[in-house]
Amino acid sequence: MLVVAVSLSMALEAADRAYPPPLEAARARSAEVRDADGQLLRAFATKDGLWRLKTKAGDVDPQFIRMLIAYEDHRFYQHSGVDVRALGRAAFQLVTHGRIVSGGSTLSMQVARLIEPRESRSVFAKLKQMARAVQIERRLSKAEILDLYLSLAPYGGNLEGVRAASFAYFGKEPKRLSVAEAALLVALPQSPEGRRPDRFPDAAKAARERVLARAHVEAAVGEGEADRASLVAVPRERRQLPALAAHLAEAALRKAPGEAVYGTTLRKPVQDALERVAREAGARLPPKVSLAMMVADSTTGEIIADVGSADYFDASRSGWIDMTRINRSPGSTLKPFIYGLAFEEGLVAQETIIEDRPSDFSGYRPKNFDMSYQGDVSIRQALQLSLNVPAVRVLEGVGPSRLMVRFRRADVRPVLPVGEAPGLAIGLGGVGMTLKDLVQLYAGLANQGWPVKLGDGVRDQPRRDGMQPLLEPSAVWQVTDILSDVLPPQGSPKLGLAYKTGTSYGYRDAWSVGYDGRYVLGVWVGRPDNGAVPGITGYGTAAPILFEAFARSGLAISGHPSAPPGAQRLALTDLPIGLRRYSVMANGLLRSTSREPAPQIVYPPEGARVDLGARSGEEIAPLMLKLQGGRAPFRWLANGKPLEDTARTRNSEWKPDGAGYSTLTVIDSRGRAATVRVFIE
């Protein structure tokens, strides 16, 4: 008998190794795209067309697990795959009643049936299922077996697993289920097609009541809970599984095919809100017109919402095209960077007067959008009104090539016409740029002049190391101070955003980009085929969408940073003579009555009080020194003492010794000097 027992044991062991259960067949899962917090954004069906989301016990409401085990296999943790007592009870009931009253299948046996569907309901098939259950128990822990059941249990149609069923019938993850919801999910796998609540709600409700009536289940949920759950109606429709961030999800699969889970930097609530705004706004737009939106965190460079079209499934608007990555003319949205560079160079102040009149720039004759001219306006007004001629005048002074260099600091490389050098037309949108590029540029403004390369939302990580400042903080503050006072479109909420709009030539693109102290949101509206859309404008079409999206995004809008040391808005009468009116000659130099203007200190102005933190006890910040005119090199003196090095540029720095009045003097190579007296705080 011992020899027979050992031989039989060895034979069974050999058979177990020779015919293992097909566990690999159960590993095919729906690919999942998740947000930064692990929430499901979009799932893709398996090759067989099944919605099968990987599920673990920790992903499901613990009460559901208790109810499942109580109803299906309350001795799950005691047996080794086959519950002999349950089989005996089922057999006795079959003999005494003449029909099947209760089953004897364990959860392990059901997993065996799910990974290897039986062809017929025969005694041999049942015995094979029992053998497979024992094999599974030898290979997997109870937790792993439970996870397999939660992932493979059928729920009608092409739904498999508790998570897919919970999304389809309740529109949520199964983390928190009511007693009624949990009972329905326990009941459906017994007859998934006959109990589908979207087709047979009465059968589904009756099955749920049988689960709630089971004594073990009632003990698991608590006294009275089953009665209250019986009063709840069953869902009568099947919902769509999450399908957010379609363009980003498709890009993730193309970049790394075959993976089970794709993590992103998106935030599901923000993405969902913006896609709703996009669909609603798209319905109000003319035929064939789409839109795109993107939100980025300027402090981290992470993309937190990415909407590539008004509706991914709208073929009439070419919804499958991701318009956040398509080069289009940015219109007037680059003007803030022109003025920012001029502020940094000390060429203008907010109240500097500039001409808005018909002008000829060596054959280039820009016109304002409304074909009218304002005459003399301040720089502040010129930017807020988005006047074209003043912007081109300033760009002529700072130089188109220098502006392009600043764009490259932010790792943005606008596309120029083939064989052409940067010209004045880039100030009015004469380059190609994507919405992502534009958001990346404005992230530098929101982040006080420090650019960050945005990630791709999936794998490509944001980058800040080694990047040079886009603009000085004082210049960024001047630009933000101007843009934050632009009135929102009529009917839009006042959110405290700094924003700029733009309309490309021929009414092909409408833009609006806004930012607070942290987040940047960009909006593009137009036709994917680059056709004209008469009547669309940045202010009238894109800006209302911008404000609606910001308001509904759920983002906590923060205020803009306070002015950095040395930055202030001076009245026209308080400006130095050289800053009261802006005008340049054909060679780009500031116009002057003399043949070669003498040096003039434009910052800090005479009598200014500059807060550099001298009285706080901390290290004193350096003071920026800016001048106009004169001939390099320049020698600076502070309180009669020369600074260490001569300067060949018109920008320098000086670090005061302490608070109080100081006298600053600059001397050019011809011995001409200029002096101002300032008070350091």
Side-chain angles (χ1 to χ4, degrees):
M1 289 179 62
L2 179 61
V3 170
V4 169
V6 171
S7 300
L8 181 61
S9 176
M10 293 176 64
L12 291 174
E13 184 71 27
D16 180 70
R17 289 196 301 269
Y19 302 99
L23 294 175
E24 290 299 323
R27 299 188 186 279
R29 300 284 190 271
S30 294
E32 298 181 38
V33 181
R34 299 181 181 178
D35 79 344
D37 299 319
Q39 297 188 70
L40 182 65
L41 289 170
R42 188 181 181 189
F44 292 86
T46 65
K47 292 181 179 180
D48 298 330
L50 300 174
W51 295 111
R52 183 190 288 169
L53 305 179
K54 184 176 182 179
T55 311
K56 293 186 175 183
D59 301 327
V60 183
D61 193 319
Q63 183 168 248
F64 168 82
I65 302 296
R66 293 194 296 269
M67 293 174 67
L68 173 68
I69 294 175
Y71 184 76
E72 291 286 357
D73 188 1
H74 67 275
R75 279 189 291 274
F76 174 63
Y77 292 105
Q78 282 77 50
H79 62 68
S80 298
V82 178
D83 188 347
V84 178
R85 292 172 57 184
L87 286 175
R89 182 196 67 241
F92 178 77
Q93 291 173 338
L94 175 62
V95 172
T96 56
H97 292 79
R99 58 184 177 84
I100 297 176
V101 177
S102 65
S105 291
T106 63
L107 286 175
S108 302
M109 292 170 64
Q110 293 185 48
V111 168
R113 175 171 53 84
L114 292 172
I115 65 174
E116 194 175 24
R118 60 192 178 191
E119 297 179 359
S120 62
R121 297 174 63 89
S122 63
V123 174
F124 175 77
K126 198 69 174 178
L127 292 173
K128 181 180 178 182
Q129 188 183 113
M130 294 166 61
R132 288 299 195 198
V134 174
Q135 287 183 296
I136 291 171
E137 289 271 353
R138 294 186 63 184
R139 286 166 171 79
L140 303 178
S141 66
K142 291 290 186 179
E144 291 172 324
I145 294 171
L146 185 58
D147 291 346
L148 271 180
Y149 178 86
L150 296 176
S151 298
L152 300 177
Y155 281 91
N158 60 348
L159 295 176
E160 288 194 1
V162 174
R163 284 183 65 213
S166 183
F167 275 118
Y169 296 129
F170 311 130
K172 63 180 183 181
E173 290 273 8
K175 280 278 189 182
R176 293 183 179 179
L177 298 171
S178 67
V179 173
E181 292 169 342
L184 181 62
L185 293 180
V186 169
L188 293 183
Q190 307 307 311
S191 179
E193 292 301 326
R195 298 175 180 178
R196 283 180 57 171
D198 58 328
R199 293 185 178 180
F200 309 105
D202 293 337
K205 186 175 182 180
R208 185 187 68 181
E209 304 312 308
R210 286 194 291 273
V211 172
L212 293 171
R214 183 71 63 89
H216 291 296
V217 173
E218 186 174 2
V221 300
E223 186 177 356
E225 289 296 326
D227 294 334
R228 283 188 284 271
S230 299
L231 303 176
V232 180
V234 297
R236 291 177 174 266
E237 62 179 15
R238 173 174 162 172
R239 310 184 190 197
Q240 183 182 8
L241 267 68
L244 299 173
H247 298 91
L248 191 74
E250 296 279 2
L253 261 67
R254 288 194 299 269
K255 193 168 186 177
E259 295 196 9
V261 177
Y262 299 85
T264 72
T265 59
L266 305 185
R267 300 182 196 171
K268 185 175 182 179
V270 182
Q271 181 72 25
D272 188 23
L274 263 64
E275 290 197 18
R276 292 175 186 272
V277 171
R279 283 194 297 272
E280 294 169 11
R284 300 190 296 266
L285 293 172
K288 299 184 180 180
V289 178
S290 189
L291 64 91
M293 288 186 282
M294 180 176 287
V295 183
D297 187 332
S298 68
T299 62
T300 64
E302 294 178 341
I303 297 175
I304 59 178
D306 188 329
V307 182
S309 65
D311 187 342
Y312 181 82
F313 301 102
D314 189 345
S316 68
R317 302 178 193 274
S318 302
W320 62 86
I321 300 177
D322 184 358
M323 294 306 299
T324 65
R325 269 73 170 179
I326 302 298
N327 281 308
R328 305 299 283 263
S329 166
S332 297
T333 56
L334 302 182
K335 289 176 181 175
F337 303 95
I338 298 172
Y339 289 106
L341 191 53
F343 283 127
E344 182 177 302
E345 293 297 316
L347 299 179
V348 298
Q350 288 197 37
E351 299 302 327
T352 298
I353 299 300
I354 191 169
E355 293 181 357
D356 179 35
R357 294 182 175 85
S359 302
D360 187 327
F361 300 90
S362 302
Y364 180 53
R365 300 180 178 87
K367 297 178 176 61
N368 286 328
F369 183 76
D370 58 2
M371 305 303 290
S372 64
Y373 299 91
Q374 305 293 322
D376 283 355
V377 295
S378 67
I379 292 292
R380 182 180 181 86
Q381 292 171 324
L383 180 52
Q384 289 181 338
L385 297 175
S386 196
L387 301 176
N388 289 343
V389 176
V392 174
R393 288 188 189 279
V394 176
L395 180 58
E396 185 185 37
V398 300
S401 295
R402 297 180 67 195
L403 182 65
M404 295 289 281
V405 169
R406 295 306 176 97
F407 291 161
R408 285 196 291 272
R409 287 187 180 185
D411 205 27
V412 172
R413 290 167 172 77
V415 179
L416 291 166
V418 178
E420 289 194 16
L424 297 179
I426 66 175
L428 306 183
V431 292
M433 189 173 289
T434 68
L435 179 61
K436 182 184 177 184
D437 289 337
L438 205 55
V439 170
Q440 187 163 308
L441 277 179
Y442 274 79
L445 296 181
N447 200 33
Q448 303 180 63
W450 285 99
V452 56
K453 180 183 178 182
L454 303 184
D456 64 1
V458 184
R459 290 180 170 276
D460 188 20
Q461 294 300 312
R463 182 172 64 85
R464 294 183 61 179
D465 297 339
M467 300 186 77
Q468 295 179 288
L470 177 63
L471 291 169
E472 291 179 358
S474 59
V476 172
W477 181 85
Q478 299 285 358
V479 170
T480 301
D481 186 56
I482 295 172
L483 296 181
S484 60
D485 272 354
V486 179
L487 292 175
Q490 187 175 5
S492 297
K494 294 183 179 180
L495 303 176
L497 302 178
Y499 80 104
K500 184 71 183 72
T501 61
T503 308
S504 68
Y505 178 77
Y507 297 96
R508 286 176 168 80
D509 310 277
W511 304 83
S512 186
V513 188
Y515 60 95
D516 63 357
R518 179 174 182 179
Y519 300 108
V520 182
L521 194 157
V523 177
W524 169 87
V525 180
R527 286 179 54 157
D529 62 3
N530 204 26
V533 188
I536 68 165
T537 63
Y539 186 79
T541 309
I545 299 174
L546 171 78
F547 277 80
E548 183 182 4
F550 242 123
R552 292 172 56 179
S553 68
L555 296 172
I557 298 177
S558 56
H560 299 287
S562 56
Q568 56 185 325
R569 190 204 308 177
L570 296 176
L572 179 63
T573 55
D574 294 331
L575 293 176
I577 298 297
L579 278 180
R580 294 185 182 180
R581 176 173 287 275
Y582 180 85
S583 182
V584 294
M585 299 181 291
N587 60 6
L589 297 175
L590 291 175
R591 191 181 303 278
S592 175
T593 55
S594 63
R595 189 171 182 181
E596 185 179 74
Q600 182 182 36
I601 300 174
V602 295
Y603 190 83
E606 173 64 32
R609 299 179 71 91
V610 185
D611 186 0
L612 298 178
R615 295 185 176 181
S616 64
E618 298 179 357
E619 185 178 357
I620 300 176
L623 174 65
M624 291 299 301
L625 307 175
K626 300 180 181 181
L627 62 89
Q628 288 182 352
R631 174 173 290 188
F634 305 101
R635 168 66 71 181
W636 284 91
L637 295 89
N639 298 319
K641 297 180 180 180
L643 302 188
E644 291 184 1
D645 300 317
T646 58
R648 302 200 64 86
T649 66
R650 288 174 169 77
N651 291 345
S652 296
E653 283 188 359
W654 166 61
K655 191 169 184 179
D657 296 329
Y661 281 103
S662 293
T663 301
L664 299 172
T665 302
V666 65
I667 305 172
D668 74 350
S669 63
R670 293 196 171 188
R672 295 172 296 182
T675 300
V676 295
R677 196 161 186 259
V678 297
F679 188 84
I680 305 299
E681 297 180 335

